[in-house]
Amino acid sequence: MHRTLERMRPPLRGDTYEAYRGFAELDAAFHNAIAEASRSTLMADTLRRFRAHTHGYRLNFRQSIARQAVDEHRAVLDALHAKDPQAAAHAMRTRLEASRSRLMSAYDSSRRPVVRC
């Protein structure tokens, strides 16, 4: 998970899907690694089935989302590494709420589309 997160750190160049594709693949790998580490087959299977839905979110990106996601992932990973379940739950809740907020703003009809192919 640490190596995947470090590979996500370099800044993206531009707001195109091409610029974002490698980050999206690493993001998916990071989420899968957490699910696998949970040793919950239900969690890992749920995440695999949910991938199509999360990919839709990944298509609605901006450069800043990558930086924000890395910071949010770092907080989750730090809490897991510290074996602090309350901090991990808080970091994950913060991550999910921030992702939801970004997704909702991407679908806000008053904003221009952010995906350019």
Side-chain angles (χ1 to χ4, degrees):
M1 287 182 269
H2 288 284
R3 280 178 270 158
T4 300
L5 190 59
E6 289 308 313
R7 290 178 58 204
M8 293 168 72
R9 282 206 167 283
L12 300 179
R13 299 193 196 290
D15 276 338
T16 64
Y17 181 71
E18 289 302 314
Y20 187 71
R21 182 176 22 186
F23 177 87
E25 291 170 2
L26 291 168
D27 185 57
F30 182 83
H31 288 218
N32 288 337
I34 288 178
E36 294 295 330
S38 75
R39 294 190 177 113
S40 166
T41 55
L42 176 62
M43 179 66 80
D45 189 48
T46 299
L47 185 61
R48 275 190 292 276
R49 291 174 188 222
F50 196 61
R51 183 176 170 109
H53 302 290
T54 57
H55 185 67
Y57 168 75
R58 289 180 180 113
L59 291 174
N60 290 290
F61 73 92
R62 297 176 307 276
Q63 278 181 307
S64 61
I65 288 177
R67 289 187 299 274
Q68 294 163 350
V70 169
D71 291 343
E72 293 158 7
H73 287 152
R74 172 63 61 201
V76 170
L77 191 53
D78 287 349
L80 292 173
H81 184 68
K83 297 181 181 175
D84 185 339
Q86 287 147 342
H90 175 75
M92 195 65 229
R93 189 174 303 108
T94 299
R95 166 78 177 134
L96 291 171
E97 289 170 356
S99 292
R100 180 182 184 276
S101 177
R102 287 190 293 267
L103 181 59
M104 295 303 289
S105 70
Y107 288 111
D108 181 352
S109 62
S110 67
R111 296 189 54 194
R112 65 176 173 78
V114 293
V115 174
R116 291 183 290 281
C117 297

